Amino acid sequence: MNYSQDRRIRVAVVFGGRSSEHEISCVTAGGVLAALDPRRYEVLPIGITTSGRWVLTTADPERLAIHGSTMPTVDDEGGTVVLPGRGELAVQSPGEVPHALGTVDVVFPLLHGPYGEDGTIQGLLELADVRYVGSGVLASAVGMDKHVMKLLLAGAGLPVTRHVLVRPSAWEPQRDRVIAEAEAFGYPVFVKPARAGSSMGVSKARDAAELEAAVLAAREHDPKVLIEEAVTGREVECGVLEGQGGGEPEASVVGEIRLGAGHELYDFEAKYLPGDDVSLDIPADLPAEVAERVRRMSIEAFQALSCESLARVDFFLRDDGSLVVNELNTMPGFTPTSMFPQLWAKTGIDYPSLVDRLVDTALRRPTGLR
């Protein structure tokens, strides 16, 4: 799709949402909004409130930044945005006639977690015949459900962590079975909601009592829960971008997360709130052969889940040199200080160029099954 020099690309940046990752989605949007060159893009900032209302909101990155430990949110002010189809947007305020906003060329859905990153908004945009950044319905849904993700990755021959599934049904009837199967791994184990991100609801259990408490805590975010074996080793991550012009996907340099004594796991606080006991080493200090293996396996994981546009693949590097895929994120954290943009910056694609590439990729990709 070609655009003339005197016509800016209209991008609807959608953020917020109904998930527990609402606030970090707002922070992500602030970074992307700041990177979209106003000479090239006309931006429509659309926030989704925690109740699910779509509103025309601020494009001011400062209002979407973290201030101390205060996280930004989408408030309920502003007219309700409607997406009738084919990229045509309208906004309606109480007591007023709906006002057409015109069509958008592409939607940049910066939603993390359920009700956005999980294929729901992707399905809506497919129905409306609108181009968008990111993976399609299938890959987005699979990338959100860590249980199904592991099944597909293992089916493609990629190593994954051993796990026990806590089904969404009532907890008590499966309690004894789940605890027995988890204890076969040996303590400690890690417990996480199957369909959440940003380490929401994730905890470490050292005995049966802690395990049961961790499962109940995780079920507050998602009734479907995973209990995973603890893997001793290093946490390394790699970014993947869809290939240009139909080429093979490309992998970034490899980064490593190093946690200080104040954190047992890379939780929400470690990821997003100020602190000096978490560091990202980019590129990671790895033998060339290991780094290349991470890059190759990242592309294999990207293809195994039918991903498009972008993804971040997380690994455990065991002390014996073997690699285990922890998970894949189809819409990774995208603040300027997040791992994914930093990986690509060190690879040679700075933040604004990365945003440009994602928009260009979305514009080239046809909607639906065409």
Side-chain angles (χ1 to χ4, degrees), residues 9 31 47 68 78 106 109 133 135 145 251 324 352:
I9 300 169
V106 64
V133 173
S135 285
D145 191 317
V324 180

Side-chain angles (χ1 to χ4, degrees), residues 23-24 33 37 69 81 120 138 140 142 184 208 228 246 256 265 343 361:
E23 291 86 356
I24 197 58
L33 287 167
D37 186 346
S69 59
V81 174
T120 50
L138 174 64
S140 297
V142 169
E228 296 181 342
E256 179 177 6
L265 54 92
L343 288 171
T361 299

Side-chain angles (χ1 to χ4, degrees), residues 47-292:
I48 302 179
T49 68
T50 54
S51 65
R53 182 169 171 251
W54 293 42
V55 297
L56 192 62
T57 186
T58 179
D60 180 7
E62 184 60 24
R63 289 187 60 186
L64 296 170
I66 301 174
H67 296 284
S69 59
T70 301
M71 303 290 288
T73 61
V74 176
D75 59 40
D76 210 25
E77 299 175 2
T80 300
V81 174
V82 182
L83 177 67
R86 296 192 175 275
E88 300 168 355
L89 291 176
V91 61
Q92 182 173 10
S93 299
E96 296 182 6
V97 176
H99 169 65
L101 297 174
T103 60
V104 294
D105 299 306
V106 64
V107 172
F108 207 136
L110 295 167
L111 299 166
H112 300 307
Y115 316 113
E117 189 182 348
D118 59 350
T120 50
I121 193 171
Q122 291 77 13
L124 173 65
L125 295 172
E126 292 284 356
L127 285 170
D129 199 27
V130 180
R131 289 176 169 81
Y132 57 92
V133 173
S135 285
V137 175
L138 174 64
S140 297
V142 169
M144 192 79 261
D145 191 317
K146 298 176 181 66
H147 173 239
V148 178
M149 179 199 304
K150 287 178 186 292
L151 297 179
L152 290 184
L153 292 174
L158 290 162
V160 297
T161 52
R162 294 182 298 166
H163 69 281
V164 175
L165 174 65
V166 182
R167 300 188 182 281
S169 52
W171 162 240
E172 282 302 325
Q174 55 184 324
R175 176 186 178 281
D176 292 343
R177 172 192 63 82
V178 165
I179 290 177
E181 291 180 5
E183 287 181 338
F185 298 152
Y187 289 110
V189 294
F190 287 93
V191 182
K192 60 180 67 173
R195 295 165 294 192
S198 294
S199 299
M200 292 288 188
V202 179
S203 53
K204 184 177 183 179
R206 301 168 186 80
D207 55 38
E210 288 189 358
L211 175 56
E212 181 168 8
V215 168
L216 295 175
R219 283 169 69 90
E220 293 180 5
H221 295 269
D222 183 0
K224 185 177 183 180
V225 172
L226 291 187
I227 303 169
E228 296 181 342
E229 64 175 322
V231 178
T232 302
R234 301 161 65 181
E235 293 187 50
V236 297
E237 302 184 349
C238 184
V240 183
L241 289 175
E242 182 178 332
Q244 294 180 300
E248 287 290 301
E250 300 172 25
S252 71
V253 299
V254 180
E256 179 177 6
I257 301 162
R258 289 198 296 121
L259 301 177
H263 294 281
E264 284 193 313
L265 54 92
Y266 194 39
D267 57 12
F268 184 89
E269 180 181 345
K271 288 179 178 179
Y272 302 117
L273 298 182
D276 56 7
D277 58 349
V278 177
S279 62
L280 305 181
D281 294 345
I282 308 173
D285 183 13
L286 297 172
E289 180 274 328
V290 173
E292 184 55 35

